[in-house]
């Protein structure tokens, strides 16, 4: 088998890259380890930045997102028993975000790709990449019992944090920057109407909580928990009790409903540099992870593949490699700013085990500042809706 760009992984990065390349007339084959229902049902991110929603529109993938997604014009920061709203349009020249599940984006792109008969192979196993330092790199894998050799001009590692592409880069090439946080998030999906029209990020004496949503009838809620906690230790009653306590504010009542899904995510910040070796390009979680506070992960994955698609398009137009050569630096500038923002939101809102009374007072002062100074609120808002792209 032969293609121009071999894409490992059908997460948001790999799937959207496939569409961007198709629009530019570049052939690609996507190989995915899991089956279609698995990737279409895995509950993860939920907030799409302004420019990213516009990109999906441009690719003809935004119809359901605009119909069923929820346009949000602000968030609430809740602390010391009171809510404070950050208004996005007035602080960012009219921008908003769209609350729409990552798995819904995945469903929309998979449907478009299969309808257009573009190659997307599910349930591949034993994936390996070879010859990345040559101009004929190869992806080998097993599909439907057969060993396949896919010869490519370029390989893109869109295979997430636990993928095989990053480890295929020879030792000594990459530098990794890593921070592990001493907590995780227990997330639930519940069949209950959202308790508030907008997302609530809550600081509390008991730790962080986040009230989000997926639709007018489904809520998505998170509570800070120990990083190695067992989901089994969290009965539905315990989760609701904790949410009630952490989100408490006068006049607020949290709607409960059957819990449809529960999971715990550990939190870390991670970046490798550079994001390219030879003809292998890393994009999305394969190259970087942000803690989820601030909702940057999927958006960064989309930003990477937009930069990469432009570089590949220029290469196929006239052989120019300038875009490919600057891919890593261009992406890393945005990534480090998103790392900073996610770290800042995380540090401001969570309870750290070694926090002193001084640290907790400082967090409250920071929240007070962000919600009372237009300059500080603008900094939060412009990062939240997505920094300007070019
Ligand atoms: P992935 O989505 O991880 O996709 C990688 C794909 O590669 C997977 O389908 C995997 O099966 C496949 N793969 C792996 N290995 C192989 C192999 N060897 N061969 C073939 N295929 C392989 N981000 C936001 O922007 N906003 C949010 O609100 C947000 N909330 C989050 C909440 C939670 C609870 C979690 C866990 C994450 C959240 N994120 C959020 C982060 C976001 O989900 C990720 O950043 C995003 O999934 C990255 O996309 P990706 O395509 O790079 O990687
Ligand atoms: C969601 C996740 C986030 O990390 C966040 O900051 C906001 C919302 C969500 O899953 O809805």
């Amino acid at each position: 088998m032969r293609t121009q760009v071999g894409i490992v992984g059908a997460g948001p990065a790999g799937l959207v890259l496939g569409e961007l390349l198709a629009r530019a007339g570049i052939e690609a084959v996507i190989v995915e380890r899991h089956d279609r229902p698995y990737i279409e049902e895995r509950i993860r991110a939920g907030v799409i930045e302004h420019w990213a929603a516009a990109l999906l529109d441009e690719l003809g993938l935004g119809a359901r997102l605009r119909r069923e997604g929820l346009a949000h014009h602000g968030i609430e920061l809740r602390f010391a028993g009171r809510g404070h709203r950050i208004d996005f349009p007035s602080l960012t020249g009219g921008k908003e975000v769209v609350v729409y599940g990552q798995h819904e984006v995945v469903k929309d792109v998979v449907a478009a790709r299969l309808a257009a008969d573009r190659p997307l192979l599910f349930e591949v196993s034993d994936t390996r990449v070879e010859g990345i330092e040559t101009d004929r790199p190869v992806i080998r894998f097993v599909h439907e019992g057969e060993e396949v050799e896919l010869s490519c001009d370029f390989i893109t590692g869109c295979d997430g944090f636990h993928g095989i592409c990053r480890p295929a880069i020879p030792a000594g090439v990459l530098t990794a920057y890593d921070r592990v946080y001493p907590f995780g998030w227990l997330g639930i999906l519940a069949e209950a109407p959202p308790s508030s029209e907008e997302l609530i990020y809550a600081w509390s004496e008991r730790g962080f909580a986040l009230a989000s949503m997926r639709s007018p009838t489904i809520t998505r809620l998170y509570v800070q928990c120990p990083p190695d906690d067992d989901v089994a230790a969290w009965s539905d009653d315990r989760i609701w009790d904790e949410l009630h306590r952490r989100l408490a504010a006068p006049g607020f009542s949290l709607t409960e409903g059957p819990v449809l899904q529960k999971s715990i995510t550990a939190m870390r910040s991670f970046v490798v540099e550079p994001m390219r070796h030879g003809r292998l390009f890393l994009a999305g979680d394969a190259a970087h992870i942000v803690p989820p506070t601030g909702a940057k992960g999927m958006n960064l994955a989309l930003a990477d593949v937009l930069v990469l698609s432009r570089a590949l398009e220029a290469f196929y137009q006239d052989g120019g490699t300038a875009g490919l050569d600057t891919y890593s630096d261009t992406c890393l500038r945005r990534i480090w700013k998103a790392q900073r923002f996610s770290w800042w939101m995380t540090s401001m809102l969570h309870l750290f085990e070694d926090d002193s009374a001084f640290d907790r007072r400082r967090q409250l002062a920071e929240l007070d500042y962000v919600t009372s100074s237009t300059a500080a609120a603008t900094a939060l808002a412009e990062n939240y809706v997505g920094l300007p792209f070019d």
Side-chain angles (χ1 to χ4, degrees):
M1 240 173 134
R2 151 118 203 97
T3 192
Q4 290 178 301
V5 180
I7 301 177
V8 185
L15 287 166
V16 172
L17 178 62
E19 293 309 290
L20 286 160
L21 294 177
R23 180 175 67 166
I26 300 167
E27 275 173 29
V29 174
I30 305 181
V31 298
E32 166 59 46
R33 183 156 66 105
H34 289 107
D35 62 11
R36 184 175 175 185
Y38 179 92
I39 64 161
E40 291 190 343
E41 280 155 31
R42 188 172 42 172
I43 306 295
R44 296 179 84 185
V47 177
I48 302 189
E49 290 176 3
H50 188 91
W51 70 272
L55 176 69
L56 294 170
D57 285 338
E58 223 181 279
L59 289 169
L61 297 165
R64 203 162 66 88
L65 174 144
R66 295 295 179 190
R67 213 169 47 241
E68 297 175 19
L70 308 166
H72 278 212
H73 297 108
I75 54 166
E76 180 181 323
L77 293 176
R78 187 171 286 188
F79 55 96
R82 277 192 55 206
H84 307 256
R85 182 164 187 269
I86 305 282
D87 182 78
F88 297 152
S90 65
L91 296 166
T92 63
K95 292 184 183 160
E96 60 185 28
V97 295
V98 182
V99 175
Y100 187 65
Q102 170 173 327
H103 66 293
E104 304 293 354
V105 174
V106 165
K107 276 186 209 162
D108 295 342
V109 189
V110 168
R113 187 166 185 91
L114 296 180
D117 242 348
R118 291 195 270 271
L120 166 53
L121 309 181
F122 290 107
E123 295 183 82
V124 305
S125 57
D126 205 12
T127 318
R128 286 146 289 151
V129 297
E130 291 168 11
I132 55 177
E133 289 165 345
T134 72
D135 59 9
R136 273 286 171 274
V138 168
I139 308 178
R140 289 182 205 281
F141 53 91
V142 174
H143 184 241
E144 294 174 346
E146 305 268 316
E147 173 84 25
V148 181
E149 180 184 299
L150 175 63
S151 158
C152 313
D153 296 337
F154 298 97
I155 297 177
T156 57
C158 299
D159 50 346
F161 185 66
H162 300 288
I164 51 98
C165 289
R166 190 178 68 251
I169 295 175
V173 171
L174 300 179
T175 304
Y177 300 87
D178 202 4
R179 163 165 302 189
V180 174
Y181 297 86
F183 38 74
W185 279 11
L186 168 77
I188 63 163
L189 202 63
E191 203 175 326
S195 312
S196 141
E197 278 186 13
E198 293 181 337
L199 271 58
I200 304 169
Y201 287 81
W203 179 103
S204 92
E205 295 292 356
R206 304 177 66 84
F208 175 71
L210 169 61
S212 180
M213 63 199 69
R214 286 293 177 273
S215 76
T217 54
I218 303 284
T219 42
R220 176 82 168 141
L221 298 150
Y222 298 97
V223 283
Q224 174 186 347
C225 65
D228 47 4
D229 221 0
D230 184 354
V231 189
W234 287 87
S235 66
D236 293 0
D237 284 348
R238 179 174 173 214
I239 297 171
W240 288 116
D241 180 56
E242 207 53 50
L243 283 163
H244 279 289
R245 290 167 184 246
R246 295 188 193 188
L247 289 162
F252 175 76
S253 100
L254 178 69
T255 23
E256 293 191 19
V259 175
L260 306 172
Q261 197 257 4
K262 256 184 233 186
S263 61
I264 291 179
T265 314
M267 287 174 62
R268 74 189 309 160
S269 302
F270 175 83
V271 182
V272 288
E273 297 185 5
M275 291 165 61
R276 170 207 185 163
H277 183 64
R279 291 243 171 170
L280 172 65
F281 291 79
L282 302 177
D285 278 18
H288 43 77
I289 298 280
V290 287
T293 335
K296 290 289 152 233
M298 174 174 57
N299 292 296
L300 275 183
L302 299 182
D304 289 351
V305 296
L306 179 56
V307 175
L308 186 55
S309 70
R310 288 175 177 167
L312 288 166
E313 200 175 337
F315 175 84
Y316 282 110
Q317 258 162 21
D318 58 15
T321 62
L324 295 172
D325 294 340
T326 52
Y327 165 73
S328 181
D329 288 346
T330 304
C331 290
L332 283 164
R333 283 189 68 205
R334 187 179 186 85
I335 290 159
W336 277 110
K337 279 179 264 190
Q339 287 290 359
R340 183 208 69 80
F341 177 68
S342 307
W343 160 84
W344 173 71
M345 288 281 282
T346 302
S347 310
M348 178 169 67
L349 288 160
H350 289 73
L351 174 62
F352 288 72
E353 60 205 352
D354 55 354
D355 268 351
S356 62
F358 177 89
D359 294 317
R360 297 297 271 168
R361 284 273 189 273
R362 185 185 42 75
Q363 284 180 325
L364 287 171
E366 184 138 26
L367 284 159
D368 186 10
Y369 178 54
V370 168
T371 53
S372 59
S373 148
T374 306
T378 304
L380 190 157
E382 74 170 348
N383 279 278
Y384 200 97
V385 301
L387 289 173
F389 205 80
D390 285 306

